[in-house]
Amino acid sequence: MNELRARVISQEKGIYKIQSGAGIKPATVSGKYRYETKTVSDYPAVGDYVIAEWPEDDSNAVITGLFPRMSCFIRKAAGTGKQEQVVAANIDTAFICMSLNNNFNLRRLERYLSVTYDSGAVPVVVLTKSDLCSDAGSKIVEAQNAAPGVDVLAISSLDGGYGAVMKYILPGKTVAFIGSSGVGKSTLINRLTGTDSLA
């Protein structure tokens, strides 16, 4: 049984999927870890780096410790009063996606910016579907005014302007895409990862 540094890549119903130099394994938290946990936010989240006992056979790994987080996105945990739950951790850049059609909402943009700043990640605003907006220029200016000092990108699925996003995706850095359903996050991710056929 080796003890390794691993990263949480997914989590569902108490079962984690973690990745290390040795591969990918399902994992659970150890009984000692569970006993010593005081709040929901002490449990591992997607993006966390953990210490794990890594068996050489096909059995699950066991998470025994958590490395300090560099950044984290937090929400109130359901049904736990004021307890907070970490949604994602150790994100370097957060792409705040908003489409330039009916989804465009400056108050929503300000909320996403606030959450991103609170997390410790760097925000980049990505305005999608610019081809569907007759006054894209004025909305870009509105977004720039609502997000002073933040880079604002406007892209369209028609003109292939995804290179503007790629320059923020650097080796060794972790990015996240946040925004409402239907704004084009999946299409954007598929284009960036070269899986356009899945869009």
Side-chain angles (χ1 to χ4, degrees):
M1 180 87 67
N2 298 321
E3 194 168 71
L4 301 175
R5 182 177 189 263
R7 194 169 197 191
V8 178
I9 57 175
S10 71
Q11 184 263 323
E12 186 175 359
K13 297 179 181 176
I15 299 296
Y16 299 86
K17 189 176 286 185
I18 63 175
Q19 183 173 21
S20 75
I24 297 174
K25 265 187 182 290
T28 56
V29 296
S30 70
K32 182 174 185 288
Y33 188 116
R34 195 179 303 276
Y35 177 77
E36 292 176 349
T37 297
K38 295 179 175 62
T39 67
V40 175
S41 62
D42 290 336
Y43 280 93
V46 173
D48 269 327
Y49 292 97
V50 297
I51 302 167
E53 294 176 352
W54 193 279
E56 294 181 6
D57 59 19
D58 291 336
S59 58
N60 288 0
V62 178
I63 296 170
T64 59
L66 181 69
F67 286 93
R69 293 168 174 142
M70 301 299 292
S71 67
C72 60
F73 284 83
I74 292 174
R75 71 173 170 215
K76 291 278 171 51
T80 56
K82 295 183 178 179
Q83 279 207 22
E84 295 176 331
Q85 179 180 11
V86 176
V87 179
N90 300 310
I91 305 299
D92 296 293
T93 301
F95 293 106
I96 301 172
C97 301
M98 183 174 291
S99 63
L100 283 169
N101 56 9
N102 297 335
N103 177 262
F104 188 78
N105 184 308
L106 290 176
R107 287 198 175 168
R108 185 183 298 124
L109 173 58
E110 289 167 352
R111 287 198 299 272
Y112 282 135
L113 284 167
S114 177
V115 168
T116 302
Y117 281 128
D118 287 347
S119 79
V122 175
V124 175
V125 177
V126 180
L127 302 175
T128 63
K129 305 184 181 181
S130 61
D131 55 296
L132 301 179
C133 181
S134 59
D135 59 341
S138 63
K139 287 189 175 179
I140 291 168
V141 171
E142 289 178 35
Q144 289 171 333
N145 290 336
V150 176
D151 289 351
V152 177
L153 314 175
I155 63 173
S156 161
S157 60
L158 299 181
D159 62 15
Y162 298 101
V165 178
M166 280 300 297
K167 72 176 187 178
Y168 296 90
I169 302 175
L170 303 172
K173 299 294 184 181
T174 301
V175 301
F177 293 82
I178 60 178
S180 304
S181 178
V183 301
K185 296 188 301 296
S186 295
T187 299
L188 175 57
I189 292 168
N190 289 338
R191 291 284 173 95
L192 294 172
T193 57
T195 53
D196 194 31
S197 61
L198 301 178

